[in-house]
Amino acid sequence: MTAAPPHLTSPLLRMPGITHGFFSRHGGVSQGPYASLNCGPRSGDDLAKVAVNRARVAACLGADNLATAAQCHSAKITIIHEDFGANRPACDGLITRTPNLAIGALAADCMTVLFADADS
């Protein structure tokens, strides 16, 4: 069993039914300029390694998949009900009510924001 990638959690989001994490570059299999936990399928990294990294993050969150958008510096938000695989929507926010579906945002020089509602 592979160890979970190191990550941080916020005490403000610790509530029943909500699992979250803020991950760094550590704990993955990518090499070179993408080392190590690169989850960006459009980065130019080996897609097989990106898939392993994404699976590690999803497993750490107790999910089957990690869904991320094709981020485009917009105000667009997409509501998702299932993982869309490689057909990622061009938007900058994802919303889901689907249990066990991890949604994520990739960041380099942009701020990410996480909202959670345990009732929904």
Side-chain angles (χ1 to χ4, degrees):
M1 179 93 181
T2 303
H7 61 284
L8 300 173
T9 60
S10 169
L12 299 174
L13 293 171
R14 290 188 190 132
M15 56 189 89
I18 302 293
T19 304
H20 73 285
F22 298 93
F23 296 83
S24 69
R25 292 181 59 122
H26 303 287
V29 298
S30 294
Q31 299 173 341
Y34 306 107
S36 133
L37 189 68
N38 177 32
C39 292
R42 298 189 305 167
S43 64
D45 193 4
D46 180 321
L47 290 178
K49 291 180 180 178
V50 171
V52 169
N53 292 336
R54 291 172 69 91
R56 286 184 179 187
V57 169
C60 183
L61 297 173
D64 298 324
N65 297 301
L66 171 64
T68 57
Q71 292 167 234
C72 58
H73 297 279
S74 72
K76 296 178 185 174
I77 305 294
T78 300
I79 298 172
I80 66 170
H81 304 287
E82 61 188 7
D83 182 27
F84 32 74
N87 299 317
R88 291 180 312 282
C91 66
D92 287 297
L94 298 174
I95 299 171
T96 190
R97 293 181 75 173
T98 305
N100 301 319
L101 174 60
I103 56 176
L106 305 176
D109 58 350
C110 296
M111 177 71 69
T112 57
V113 179
L114 174 62
F115 296 98
D117 181 352
D119 295 331
S120 294

